[in-house]
Amino acid sequence: MSVSMRDLDPAFQGAGQKAGIEIWRIENFRPVLVPQSSYGKFFTGDSYVILKTTALKNGALRHDIHYWLGKDTTQDESGTAAIKTVELDAALGGRAVQYREVQGHETERFLSYFKPCIIPQEGGVATGFKHAEEEEHKTRLFVCRGKHVVHVKEVPFARSSLNHDDIFILDTKSKIFQFNGSNSSIQERAKALEVVQYIKDTYHHGKCDIAAIEDGKLMADSETGEFWGFFGGFAPLPRKTASEEDKNVGIYPTKLLRVEKGQSEPIGDESLTRDLLDTNKCYLLDCGTEVFVWMGRSTSLDDRKSASSAAEELIHGPDRPQSQIIRLIEGFETVVFRSKFDSWPQTEDVAVTEDGRGKVAALLKRQGLNVKGLMKASPVKEEPQPYIDCSGHLQVWRVNGQEKILLQSADQSKFYSGDCYIFQYSYPGDDREEYLIGTWFGKKSVEEERASALSQVSKMVESLKFLPVQARLYEGNEPIQFFSIFQSFIVFKGGLSEGYKSYIAEKEIPDETYKEDGLALFRVQGSGPDNMQAIQVEPVASSLNSSYCYILHSGSSVLTWYGNLTTSEDQELVERQLDLIKPNAQCKTQKEGAESEHFWELLGGKSEYPSQKIAQDSESDPHLFSCIFSKGIHKVTEIHNFSQDDLMTEDMFILDCHSAIFVWVGQQVDSKMKMHALTIGEKFLEHDFLLEKLSREAPVYVIMEGSEPPFFTRFFSWDSAKSAMHGNSFQRKLTMVKHGGTPTIDKPKRRAPVSYGGRSSVPDKNQRSRSMSFSPDRVRVRGRSPAFNALAANFENPNARNLSTPPPVVRKIFPKSVTPDSVKLASKSSAISSISSTFEKSPPIREVIIPKSIKVSPETPKQNSEPNNKENSMSSRIGSLTIQEDVKEGEAEDEDGLPIYPYDRLKTTSTDPVAEIDVTKRETYLSSAEFREKFGMTKDAFSKLPKWRQNKLKMALQLF
């Protein structure tokens, strides 16, 4: 498109350079900027141009331009607004979507800018009469329609205006009445109350009474009688008469018209395809209630103005429904427009670079105008944050047919690609324990076990009264929350379940299940010690990538390979993962370009391999959808500029972030429908309503109202008091309107806020959610305290391969996880604790000496150790020291004078229970050392926990 400076109005200088709204009113055929204090105030005799600029996550600015026409505006003014909209789009580089808005028929997108509503005032600037001045309050009657945004229209103040289908607001001098027609929905009533609040604040300065009148209550209370008194007393309401805007337009055939020299000509093709649109021409797509103006990128400004005029002429034709005009530029078509075509290519060969906007910017700059903001801004690189407390309890099960097998803590982070897993993670919330229960499907897992996993998770969620957040995850599409919970995560090839073994036997597929002494290649990835993964890949050279590090082993041979594009942090992760895959193994380091012949022999020879990092679905700007269901998704409506108030307790909503979707389920949703929430989320992925190439394997979360996790609420300005309210949407909103805000709900705070990367608290590298420590002479070691590092430094062999890793016996990386092997105690821990404490200079009594994430695996049968192995000999010394310090049960007393008994005799399932003890305080009979190992804290710290938290821990340890 050729651009001339004479085509650009000076009023648009600097427009659209930052996120927000800008409004111009047409005065004497010129746009005049409206002051921000007057935003949302429209006059029926005027025409306006509205620009909405949105900053996208990729750094670009998106523009939506609307021109609003009051019911009393002149044809000249409306025509000027339409033309100026085209000019403004040209000034912004020709990328904006343009909407024609007529008073009373505005789009939901437009109304969402001015929530809760707009109420145009009588008056105008260029029509020969003055704006209405403030005068004595006048009683007015409004009709309200809409579930998500409210269309407000003033109607005659008469009983004949009322009906049973709509909601009406009667605005009197001292009180505002909301009349709810008997056929109106709860959601519509709740939204209308937002209009009541707006009228109260705008026209009554926040000082007047509010009354809700229910259709059919007759004279049941004084407020109802007062309401009908304004209409001369109660009388039956007439049936609603169908106005022109209410008439059903029926099925209107979609037609494509080409614009030539200002005239539109229909194109006779029965099938609509993208090939019909020529980049050198403009077209009209007539869909009845919507008329799209499509403008090729090579068209001139005059061509586009002619096409807009042709659209205006079309919608004013005889026997037409009320229509909206939406103008689009080639390459920036909306989802709705593309969906009208039988076929639309996924990718287009259209020059949609910064060239067009750059030319406009250059022209403006030569004129001495400010062009800042016209060009695409560089995206802000942010490290993804988990937005979840990572110090909770984790349990993992492997699905085996119709059963699930609980994994020991040492195996919780080791998954197989041919299996399905169930995980349950509980973590402390503000006033209760929060749960995340999910499934993980390996790429080679069988359908029967996937179905079994989903069924078992549904029962687990239902047993907890739908309070947990439910997640459905696929291998390769795991979200940051999952990796942060597991911290160190390994995926092996093959599988251990009966379903996988039966499948490969039936298909006669070779079993590729990982073997410790076999040939295996692992790609190591992640952002740090709290988020690292090792993924087994095919052991061939083409699996390598210059952006990653790898672990290769075959028999006793272990090698690590560092790509040229990796960092020291990446290489540190290899050392950590090596301790889990091949502990105590001697390895040889291979750098890209300096590999040994043995390395290439193990991989079957050299071959080409990529250097770019594997692309991951990134989080895009979120979209909220309301869903109506009938055997699946029946209707999906996008809610623009959404907020927490749009989440109605009677409905389900889907929040689409591209990399994941969230299905939010209101408390008032039918229980049977709640059971299908996950299926609804999967159907949403299948339909891909935004045509954004959603992966069918993207993570799906199901979230119940009142149990919203931080990684969901971060998309809103969240008020937890609102989600804790009772009643339906209307009852809640009425309470808020009458009380002037959300009622304060006192919730006991159990703990200080955890720094997990939320808006107000982003952890730095020194403050991770799991315990970490630092040594000046070595890299960071997860799970070590300074005392432990000092102790280990004396015991470790200085000639060992990896001085930065904990001893191989340390395998427990999930603090507080309750699994079978955590029931058995290794006697070393208490000795290590007592020796470590001597390295601390602070007072002798410390709440935590060794971080909770350090657990010692169960003792294994003794093996012959080499005479010169100092570490093994020192372990023996520690073990003997511990034995000497053990006391016989019942012979010693703790600091409170209670006898001490072993855990095995105190638990409720003991075969040899202790008699004559207080069974409500079994934990008090444990020794201090054993109590610390079981509960991960001292008795004093335990006594300060809330009672419900104490009981939960005791139940997990079979002491309650």
Side-chain angles (χ1 to χ4, degrees), residues 9 18 31 220 240 268 286 304 311 388 392 404 407 444 456 487 497 695 713 731 795 831 881 887-888 916:
D9 197 294
K18 60 181 180 180
K240 181 180 179 181
D286 185 5
R304 298 180 183 186
I388 190 171
K404 63 179 189 289
L407 300 185
K444 300 294 182 67
Q456 294 185 67
Q487 295 191 347
S497 68
S695 169
T713 59
Q731 292 167 339
F795 295 161
L881 177 64
V887 295
K888 296 182 181 179
E916 298 181 358

Side-chain angles (χ1 to χ4, degrees), residues 166-352:
D166 295 321
I167 297 165
F168 295 85
I169 295 175
L170 179 63
D171 178 21
T172 70
K173 186 174 182 179
S174 60
K175 184 178 289 188
I176 303 174
F177 298 86
Q178 176 171 316
F179 176 82
N180 299 320
S182 57
N183 297 330
S184 62
S185 68
I186 293 174
Q187 298 93 321
E188 289 175 313
R189 300 177 185 186
K191 276 296 176 183
L193 278 171
E194 295 181 8
V195 179
V196 170
Q197 183 68 55
Y198 171 79
I199 294 174
K200 177 181 178 181
D201 294 338
T202 305
Y203 301 105
H204 298 267
H205 307 289
K207 298 178 181 178
C208 73
D209 295 329
I210 304 295
I213 309 300
E214 296 299 323
D215 184 12
K217 287 186 68 173
L218 302 181
M219 308 294 284
D221 56 53
S222 59
E223 289 184 334
T224 301
E226 184 181 358
F227 171 79
W228 287 111
F230 284 98
F231 297 94
F234 174 79
L237 296 181
R239 285 190 175 185
K240 181 180 179 181
T241 57
S243 62
E244 289 298 322
E245 60 192 65
D246 296 324
K247 290 180 180 177
N248 185 3
V249 297
I251 300 176
Y252 194 93
T254 300
K255 295 181 293 185
L256 182 65
L257 303 95
R258 181 172 53 244
V259 180
E260 296 277 5
K261 297 180 180 179
Q263 300 298 317
S264 57
E265 302 173 356
I267 296 177
D269 295 62
E270 294 182 359
S271 177
L272 288 179
T273 63
R274 171 64 180 83
D275 297 335
L276 296 174
L277 304 177
D278 184 349
T279 188
N280 298 302
K281 299 185 183 301
C282 294
Y283 296 83
L284 305 181
L285 184 66
D286 185 5
C287 305
T289 57
E290 294 174 316
V291 174
F292 294 91
V293 182
W294 186 90
M295 297 171 283
R297 293 192 63 82
S298 300
T299 55
S300 67
L301 189 59
D302 289 336
D303 290 337
R304 298 180 183 186
K305 291 179 179 179
S306 296
S308 299
S309 298
E312 293 277 355
E313 183 179 345
L314 177 66
I315 66 171
H316 289 102
D319 301 324
R320 280 194 60 87
Q322 181 68 39
S323 304
Q324 294 171 340
I325 295 177
I326 302 171
R327 298 197 293 246
L328 312 160
I329 306 298
E330 179 184 6
F332 297 92
E333 297 86 356
T334 63
V335 173
V336 175
F337 177 81
R338 285 181 282 157
S339 66
K340 303 293 184 182
F341 287 74
D342 298 325
S343 63
W344 193 277
Q346 291 290 337
T347 57
E348 296 185 67
D349 187 17
V350 178
V352 291

Side-chain angles (χ1 to χ4, degrees), residues 169 192 300 391 412 419 457 556 680 793 835 883 930:
I169 295 175
S300 67
S391 63
Q412 284 183 340
D419 293 339
V457 165
S556 60
I680 289 166
I835 295 176
I883 294 172
E930 194 165 17

Side-chain angles (χ1 to χ4, degrees), residues 554-591:
S554 178
S556 60
S557 179
V558 180
L559 303 95
T560 58
W561 185 85
Y562 299 155
N564 285 335
L565 300 180
T566 59
T567 65
S568 58
E569 288 80 7
D570 297 328
Q571 295 164 17
E572 178 188 340
L573 299 185
V574 172
E575 296 295 316
R576 294 174 180 273
Q577 291 287 26
L578 200 55
D579 289 324
L580 300 174
I581 297 173
K582 279 290 183 179
N584 298 325
Q586 298 291 331
C587 80
K588 296 181 179 179
T589 299
Q590 310 282 309
K591 293 186 177 181

Side-chain angles (χ1 to χ4, degrees), residues 27-48:
E27 298 181 11
N28 298 320
F29 308 105
R30 309 296 298 180
V32 177
L33 191 64
V34 173
Q36 194 166 354
S37 59
S38 297
Y39 284 8
K41 183 184 293 185
F42 296 91
F43 292 90
T44 61
D46 290 334
S47 295
Y48 296 82

Side-chain angles (χ1 to χ4, degrees), residues 430-431 721 724 743-749:
D430 288 341
D431 60 341
T744 302
I745 298 177
D746 293 327
K747 291 186 177 183
K749 298 294 182 182

